[in-house]
């Protein structure tokens, strides 16, 4: 009902609450893979320059066409990210493009993090965070951070974003195997003052999440099946 009431375009004189609610409702509708919404996002992407898309909805449109589109969408968006001078547009592209489900493109985006000609160093942590949080890209991003930790240490060792790589990795891992891998990889680095506390918190966070899933998973699945 809210999706039909609000539509995709702001109405003259509408309250700010509706403007904000529209993006939430459309985001949930796209997440639910409602065909009409997916088709509308694709239409807007194909007919409207990125700079002219509604800023409230642009990230959702980009994420939708990336998630359900082909590899060319990722290439086009990555080029647009490099070409634009708009910080807001770069932000929306980074949020959306990291929604890709194509393994080769996930690998390409992870590789691009280390290339300052593609992704600015000050944006690198953000791109990694979006990829480690993605269901389709989580495993690849977790492997990438372990394979490229020396680069992270050398590039960001004295930067305020240094511990972001540790903190947000912990926020994304969900299995007992990943917990053991996290401990095996990061516990030896607890001697680094800038990382000691965040590693300890990260281990505790993953342990709590894994215990919750293992305890309640079957009951939650059954409750959903009974809806």
């Amino acid at each position: 009902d809210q999706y039909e009431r609000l539509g995709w375009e702001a109405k003259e004189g509408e309250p700010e609450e509706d403007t904000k609610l529209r993006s939430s409702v459309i985001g949930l509708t796209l997440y639910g893979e409602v065909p009409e919404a997916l088709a509308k996002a694709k239409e807007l992407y194909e007919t409207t320059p990125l700079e002219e898309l509604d800023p409230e909805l642009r990230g959702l449109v980009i994420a939708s066409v990336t998630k359900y589109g082909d590899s060319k969408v990722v290439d086009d968006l990555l080029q647009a990210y490099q070409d634009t001078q708009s910080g807001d547009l770069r932000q929306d592209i980074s949020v959306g493009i990291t929604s890709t489900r194509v393994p080769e493109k996930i690998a390409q985006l992870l590789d691009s993090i280390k290339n300052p000609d593609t992704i600015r160093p000050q944006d690198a942590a953000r791109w990694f965070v979006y990829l480690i949080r993605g269901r389709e890209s989580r495993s690849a991003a977790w492997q990438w951070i372990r394979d490229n930790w020396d680069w992270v240490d050398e590039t960001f060792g004295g930067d305020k974003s240094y511990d972001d790589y540790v903190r947000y990795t912990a926020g994304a891992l969900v299995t007992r195997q990943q917990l053991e891998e996290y401990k095996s990889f990061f516990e030896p680095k607890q001697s680094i003052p800038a990382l000691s506390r965040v590693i300890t918190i990260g281990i505790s966070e993953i342990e709590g999440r894994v215990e919750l899933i293992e305890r309640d998973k079957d009951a939650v699945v059954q409750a959903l099946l009974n809806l």
Side-chain angles (χ1 to χ4, degrees), residues 55-107:
E56 294 284 345
L57 304 177
R58 184 167 55 202
L60 296 172
V61 169
I62 293 173
S64 179
V65 297
T66 301
K67 189 174 184 180
Y68 301 106
D70 57 25
S71 299
K72 186 177 183 302
V73 174
V74 175
D75 294 333
D76 292 344
L77 287 169
L78 198 57
Q79 187 61 55
Y81 174 88
Q82 295 174 254
D83 293 342
T84 185
Q85 298 300 311
S86 167
D88 289 339
L89 180 53
R90 280 197 297 266
Q91 166 74 4
D92 289 341
I93 291 174
S94 64
V95 171
I97 197 173
T98 49
S99 299
T100 181
R101 294 174 166 181
V102 181
E104 294 81 5
K105 293 303 169 182
I106 291 171

Side-chain angles (χ1 to χ4, degrees), residues 2-160:
Q2 291 285 18
Y3 177 76
E4 303 220 352
R5 179 180 75 84
L6 293 166
W8 283 75
E9 296 182 7
K11 301 173 179 62
E12 184 176 354
E14 72 177 11
E16 184 178 353
E17 289 81 0
D18 278 0
T19 303
K20 298 298 183 184
L21 181 61
R22 178 177 293 103
S23 62
S24 298
V25 169
I26 289 177
L28 291 169
T29 307
L30 290 170
Y31 181 77
E33 301 184 355
V34 175
E36 177 191 343
L38 296 178
K40 181 63 177 180
K42 186 172 185 289
E43 176 194 340
L44 287 171
Y45 176 78
E46 292 176 346
T47 61
T48 311
L50 292 175
E51 295 83 355
E52 297 178 17
L53 288 170
D54 182 349
E56 294 284 345
L57 304 177
R58 184 167 55 202
L60 296 172
V61 169
I62 293 173
S64 179
V65 297
T66 301
K67 189 174 184 180
Y68 301 106
D70 57 25
S71 299
K72 186 177 183 302
V73 174
V74 175
D75 294 333
D76 292 344
L77 287 169
L78 198 57
Q79 187 61 55
Y81 174 88
Q82 295 174 254
D83 293 342
T84 185
Q85 298 300 311
S86 167
D88 289 339
L89 180 53
R90 280 197 297 266
Q91 166 74 4
D92 289 341
I93 291 174
S94 64
V95 171
I97 197 173
T98 49
S99 299
T100 181
R101 294 174 166 181
V102 181
E104 294 81 5
K105 293 303 169 182
I106 291 171
Q108 178 185 347
L109 294 179
L110 286 167
D111 287 342
S112 296
I113 292 175
K114 295 172 61 176
N115 183 356
D117 293 330
T118 303
I119 296 175
R120 302 181 308 166
Q122 59 265 43
D123 294 341
R126 179 191 305 161
W127 283 71
F128 170 74
V129 169
Y130 294 149
L131 287 162
I132 193 74
R133 284 177 171 176
R135 182 171 59 185
E136 307 292 338
S137 54
R138 180 182 298 129
S139 294
W142 174 219
Q143 187 62 55
W144 180 89
I145 194 65
R146 287 177 286 171
D147 292 343
N148 292 277
W149 182 258
D150 287 345
W151 173 81
V152 172
D153 186 49
E154 180 180 346
T155 307
F156 301 105
D159 189 85
K160 64 180 181 180

